[in-house]
Amino acid sequence: MTALIALDWGTSALRAYRLAANGTVTARRELPHGIMKLPDAPNRLMSFRLAFDLACADWLAADPACPVIASGMIGSAQGWQPAPYLPAPCDARQLAEQLTRVDVDDQRCFYIIPGVQQTNLLPEVMRGEETQVFGAITGDERLRDVQASGRKSLIALPGTHSKWVSVTQGKIDRLRTFMSGELYDVLRHHSILGLTMQPPETPDWQAFAEGIRVARQQPGNLLGSLFSVRTRLLCQQLSPQQQPDYLSGLLLGNELAIALDGISADTDITLIGSQPLCQRYQRAMAIFECRNPVYIAPGAAEQGMWQVARYASLVA
């Protein structure tokens, strides 16, 4: 029997997981129906319902009483129904106490996990990443031991808007967002820097490393170094195929210069995200001569939703 259906419902994709009573994933599927890419329907509500059915209607037909939980942008202002932000510091139990119920129809409903916000001079928010953070802690004995000892964990979630999250004693206490991924896309496709770029057949790690080194030597000078993507081509120091990875190195190097500043060498770093992107971050930190141990945590989203569902008594 299915104990829980978990939906990782973001901006561009919808990932569905069917979990057994022991929390293991027995089936999974990915649909291109994030909140900004919903299937065609007469209105937005019907589009959400159609995407929901495509994700899990057949699973629910087999187990009609199975609870459904979701995290991510589905709870944003542009989502199906807004879910609140909880102020940091907060833990998974507090998220479980503030679930938002959404009625799909007269017989079916699901619950959205709240996001997390940090209010200071530069406010920060996240939706979905908080669930992945708690899932990583749940599924990783090393992280559980660190939290039990009272030491700090640093968890990075590379992506369009990369998040760096500090966790202490099981609570998210600080978060920072870097728009490195989105800025890369904008510069590559909507600026003069991208006009001459050509995609390489494989990553050019030499060009990537050079971008990292430039960023490390000139921390905080991103605006002053970006034009070198063009001038190095004009001076025949880069080829069109090397420009994309050089730009990637510049942006990622500037992110690391800020994110790693002041981090003690005994603080390990956990990466959550796609394997290729996490490995790019690992390579960048090695070039940066980062002395911190760096790990990759798989399956964080589904484990996080399972943990919150347990705290909310949706599953035994």
Side-chain angles (χ1 to χ4, degrees):
M1 290 184 61
T2 303
L4 180 71
I5 294 171
L7 305 177
D8 179 10
W9 205 333
T11 302
S12 58
L14 166 56
R15 298 175 181 87
Y17 305 92
R18 186 170 62 181
L19 293 96
N22 61 357
T24 59
V25 175
T26 59
R28 66 184 71 213
R29 57 175 60 129
E30 181 171 346
L31 303 171
H33 297 315
I35 66 164
M36 301 307 293
K37 297 182 179 180
L38 295 169
D40 292 334
N43 57 59
R44 190 162 175 81
L45 178 58
M46 293 181 67
S47 292
F48 277 120
R49 287 177 175 170
L50 179 54
F52 181 89
D53 286 342
L54 291 170
C56 61
D58 57 337
W59 295 344
L60 286 170
D63 294 288
C66 178
V68 183
I69 195 167
S71 69
M73 292 299 288
I74 190 63
S76 69
Q78 294 75 38
W80 194 327
Q81 187 168 315
Y85 287 108
L86 299 191
C90 68
D91 59 22
R93 291 182 184 275
Q94 290 170 287
L95 296 181
E97 294 170 356
Q98 298 290 329
L99 299 183
T100 297
R101 174 176 169 143
V102 179
D103 292 313
V104 180
D105 51 37
D106 292 339
Q107 297 180 328
R108 298 179 299 170
C109 73
F110 70 98
Y111 297 89
I112 301 176
I113 299 172
V116 173
Q117 69 177 359
Q118 173 182 294
T119 55
N120 49 24
L121 179 62
L122 295 177
E124 292 277 3
V125 298
M126 60 182 178
R127 284 196 183 277
E129 294 93 349
E130 72 296 317
T131 306
Q132 292 176 284
V133 166
F134 292 124
I137 294 173
T138 299
D140 191 320
E141 184 178 357
R142 172 186 53 84
L143 277 174
R144 291 198 303 271
D145 290 343
V146 169
Q147 291 301 297
S149 71
R151 291 182 288 133
K152 187 183 297 291
S153 295
L154 185 61
I155 301 178
L157 300 99
T160 304
H161 298 160
S162 298
K163 305 288 185 181
W164 288 76
V165 184
S166 171
V167 186
T168 307
Q169 295 184 325
K171 291 192 174 188
I172 293 174
D173 54 30
R174 190 182 182 206
L175 56 142
R176 303 180 79 173
T177 304
F178 297 85
M179 294 180 63
S180 306
E182 183 168 2
L183 184 55
Y184 175 84
D185 184 71
V186 169
L187 292 172
R188 182 167 181 178
H189 297 107
H190 303 285
S191 81
I192 193 171
L193 300 181
L195 292 179
T196 53
M197 287 186 186
Q198 295 180 16
E201 293 184 5
T202 58
D204 192 307
W205 296 122
Q206 181 179 350
F208 177 72
E210 182 61 21
I212 293 286
R213 283 191 286 268
V214 171
R216 187 183 181 194
Q217 291 166 4
Q218 302 180 24
N221 188 37
L222 178 61
L223 293 180
S225 61
L226 277 176
F227 200 57
S228 66
V229 177
R230 178 169 174 80
T231 57
R232 285 194 166 212
L233 175 73
L234 297 176
C235 296
Q236 299 182 339
Q237 296 177 7
L238 286 176
S239 68
Q241 292 82 8
Q242 290 178 308
Q243 284 182 296
D245 284 305
Y246 175 73
L247 173 61
S248 173
L250 279 179
L251 294 172
L252 186 44
N254 274 273
E255 177 181 329
L256 293 179
I258 298 170
L260 299 177
D261 184 41
I263 302 300
S264 62
D266 62 346
T267 300
D268 61 39
I269 300 171
T270 301
L271 298 171
I272 300 174
S274 71
Q275 193 81 1
L277 189 53
C278 287
Q279 289 174 345
R280 181 170 286 253
Y281 269 65
Q282 282 183 312
R283 182 182 290 266
M285 284 187 266
I287 299 169
F288 228 79
E289 298 181 5
C290 173
R291 294 175 294 166
N292 303 68
V294 182
Y295 305 90
I296 297 177
E302 55 267 40
Q303 287 302 313
M305 287 186 278
W306 173 260
Q307 187 68 18
V308 172
R310 287 186 60 202
Y311 287 145
S313 298
L314 295 179
V315 295

